[in-house]
Amino acid sequence: MKQYAYYPGCSLESLGKNYNISALAVSDELGVEMKELEDWNCCGATAYFPVDELLAYTLVSRNLAIAEKTGLQDFIAPCSACYKNAYTTNKYLKIDPDLAEHINYALEEDHLHVEGKMKVRHLIEVFIEDVGLEEIEKKVAHPLKGLRVAPYYGCQIVRPRKDKEDVENPQFFEKLISAIGAEPIDYAYKTRCCGGSLIITNRKAALDMVYKLLQDAVNSNANVIATTCPMCNVNVEVYQSQVNREFGTNFSIPVMYFTQLMGMALGIEPKRIGVGASMLSLAQSTAN
Amino acid sequence: MAVELSFTKEIENIMYASHGKPIKDCIQCGTCSGSCPAVEFMDNSPREVIGMIGANLKEEVLATNTYWTCASCYQCTVRCPAGIDIADMMYALKRYSMWKGQYKEGLLGPDFSEAFVKMIVNSGRSFEPILAATYLPKYSARDIIQEGLTATGLVLSGKMPLLPKKVKRLKNLQRMVRRIIPIGETK
């Protein structure tokens, strides 16, 4: 069983709990082992950088250093913001020796050293690239036939550019949705930002961004929006009622983590993927 | 004789690790503004702000809400034909305004960021309910009630734990932070 250094991130212990349990259940089912890093810290999300850039990179580096100590090769983040922070920090550590030296001076206080040698990846890449779509297709017990899924990439998983992915019109999420038997819908807002932390610091702007995204998904007759990030999930799911009040709309579209949809298709017990009864009836009503 | 840095240079100097092209390479095409999902909530568009930096309009830039309205989605960065990392430039402007202690009145972003960093330094982990204490006082009564209802719903549905977690080697982490910035004593 291939092992990965797994960095859940703070959100997966609170608002994104269902993401964490479904990520682990699906990994288990697909024969990959996510080994949680010991004593990891917050990656800083989008809130450290406005205060001090070097501090932000240092705090991310502590997690990378802990991961390097495990001897494993891949650093896996299920949260897109954690992924982006770890990815860029790791890249800068490799190309900027001054930065690395400065950070390592600070890391000495925790008896750590970082080189930037991890391969930083988002959880979805492990399933698509390492396990493989064909293998996933083979393991699908209940294809989600007829379920129209809006793949919501959000921003940080594809931006800033991580070397290979198409930043304007990525397709990997669609392919995964097809592999579990569901139908990926095509809509314009799939990589448009959910507002991120503006939901706290500029509610009006963030609700407007969520509103446009929901409208586009609903106009495209999506049954469910699938997410790859706890921040997107919260903004798009929890704030739907506030969007409805603000814009006089009537949205009630389910939002699920891609791991929950995968879990349903793989036939994993609903409790183990944090899926409630309402979601199951949705899947059953469309899958016939 | 002391050389005074241009505003453009000042901002570029605090984009420490960003490897984008210099701000002065901007051709004022407006692709950033056209791509920005939050532009209609900004006093000045990203293109205008870059122009203002080039024109040394420091006070005007410090007075605009633009960079604190940036959600850091990097849509501008990946599309800029001149290769400027505009989203990172917005982060640099946030840092500049925090450093100068000068920003448009009524913005929640600066307080939020400061509270976030303090929380990490105090516990090593982030936790939504503690952050709420910093921004709720600036909300209207209606928003506070709404926020309370949302939070209660989250706790009841088991999505929100009541207690935050901490990193175990917190003292080491705090000493690490002090090697980067002198933050004074933490609780």
Side-chain angles (χ1 to χ4, degrees), chain B residues 58-113:
Chain B
K58 201 181 288 189
E59 291 305 312
E60 288 81 351
V61 169
L62 282 168
T64 187
N65 75 350
T66 301
Y67 38 97
W68 287 109
T69 310
C70 168
S72 316
C73 82
Y74 292 89
Q75 188 77 71
C76 50
T77 297
V78 297
R79 286 185 179 164
C80 177
I84 301 167
D85 190 343
I86 302 162
D88 260 14
M89 185 200 79
M90 295 296 177
Y91 271 136
L93 287 168
K94 287 176 186 174
R95 289 195 285 279
Y96 190 83
S97 86
M98 295 277 276
W99 170 48
K100 295 270 175 188
Q102 205 180 327
Y103 32 77
K104 191 181 177 181
E105 212 178 308
L107 292 177
L108 289 171
D111 288 353
F112 177 75
S113 274

Side-chain angles (χ1 to χ4, degrees), chain A residues 72-147:
Chain A
L72 298 169
Q73 271 106 50
D74 305 74
F75 179 103
I76 308 301
C79 165
S80 300
C82 299
Y83 166 59
K84 178 250 151 190
N85 282 346
Y87 187 95
T88 50
T89 304
N90 196 54
K91 186 171 113 187
Y92 293 153
L93 281 169
K94 268 184 287 194
I95 60 179
D96 190 338
D98 285 345
L99 180 73
E101 191 186 331
H102 217 121
I103 287 173
N104 275 316
Y105 167 68
L107 287 180
E108 278 172 12
E109 290 284 10
D110 198 26
H111 318 292
L112 292 167
H113 184 87
V114 73
E115 287 177 34
K117 63 180 180 190
M118 295 304 288
K119 191 172 175 197
V120 177
R121 307 165 77 191
H122 189 281
L123 178 68
I124 200 168
E125 294 177 51
V126 174
F127 297 150
I128 296 174
E129 295 166 11
D130 294 9
V131 176
L133 293 172
E134 268 177 42
E135 184 64 21
I136 292 170
E137 241 178 293
K138 266 191 248 161
K139 290 200 166 152
V140 167
H142 307 292
L144 306 179
K145 226 176 139 215
L147 190 68

Side-chain angles (χ1 to χ4, degrees), chain B residues 28-176:
Chain B
Q28 288 287 299
C29 69
T31 302
C32 47
S33 306
S35 302
C36 179
V39 70
E40 56 192 281
F41 298 91
M42 293 172 170
D43 296 336
N44 298 96
S45 71
R47 182 192 62 84
E48 283 172 346
V49 167
I50 298 174
M52 286 155 76
I53 294 171
N56 238 356
L57 299 173
K58 201 181 288 189
E59 291 305 312
E60 288 81 351
V61 169
L62 282 168
T64 187
N65 75 350
T66 301
Y67 38 97
W68 287 109
T69 310
C70 168
S72 316
C73 82
Y74 292 89
Q75 188 77 71
C76 50
T77 297
V78 297
R79 286 185 179 164
C80 177
I84 301 167
D85 190 343
I86 302 162
D88 260 14
M89 185 200 79
M90 295 296 177
Y91 271 136
L93 287 168
K94 287 176 186 174
R95 289 195 285 279
Y96 190 83
S97 86
M98 295 277 276
W99 170 48
K100 295 270 175 188
Q102 205 180 327
Y103 32 77
K104 191 181 177 181
E105 212 178 308
L107 292 177
L108 289 171
D111 288 353
F112 177 75
S113 274
E114 206 180 321
F116 200 97
V117 170
K118 276 189 187 147
M119 183 173 63
I120 305 312
V121 171
N122 284 327
S123 73
R125 299 273 180 98
S126 69
F127 186 63
E128 292 89 349
I130 291 177
L131 276 174
T134 61
Y135 61 83
L136 281 180
K138 287 199 176 176
Y139 275 18
S140 70
R142 177 174 163 265
D143 286 340
I144 291 177
I145 292 168
Q146 185 56 51
E147 203 63 6
L149 288 174
T150 306
T152 311
L154 288 171
V155 171
L156 291 178
S157 65
K159 282 193 172 185
M160 181 90 92
L162 288 168
L163 287 171
K165 291 196 175 177
K166 282 188 175 191
V167 304
K168 289 186 219 106
R169 300 192 303 271
L170 187 58
K171 287 276 169 263
N172 291 358
L173 184 126
Q174 290 172 339
R175 278 196 293 268
M176 253 174 62

Side-chain angles (χ1 to χ4, degrees), chain A residues 30-49:
Chain A
L30 294 176
V32 287
E33 193 183 345
M34 295 294 152
K35 292 191 69 135
E36 183 171 335
L37 291 183
E38 57 92 23
D39 209 33
W40 53 268
N41 56 270
C42 174
C43 83
T46 54
Y48 288 166
F49 290 92

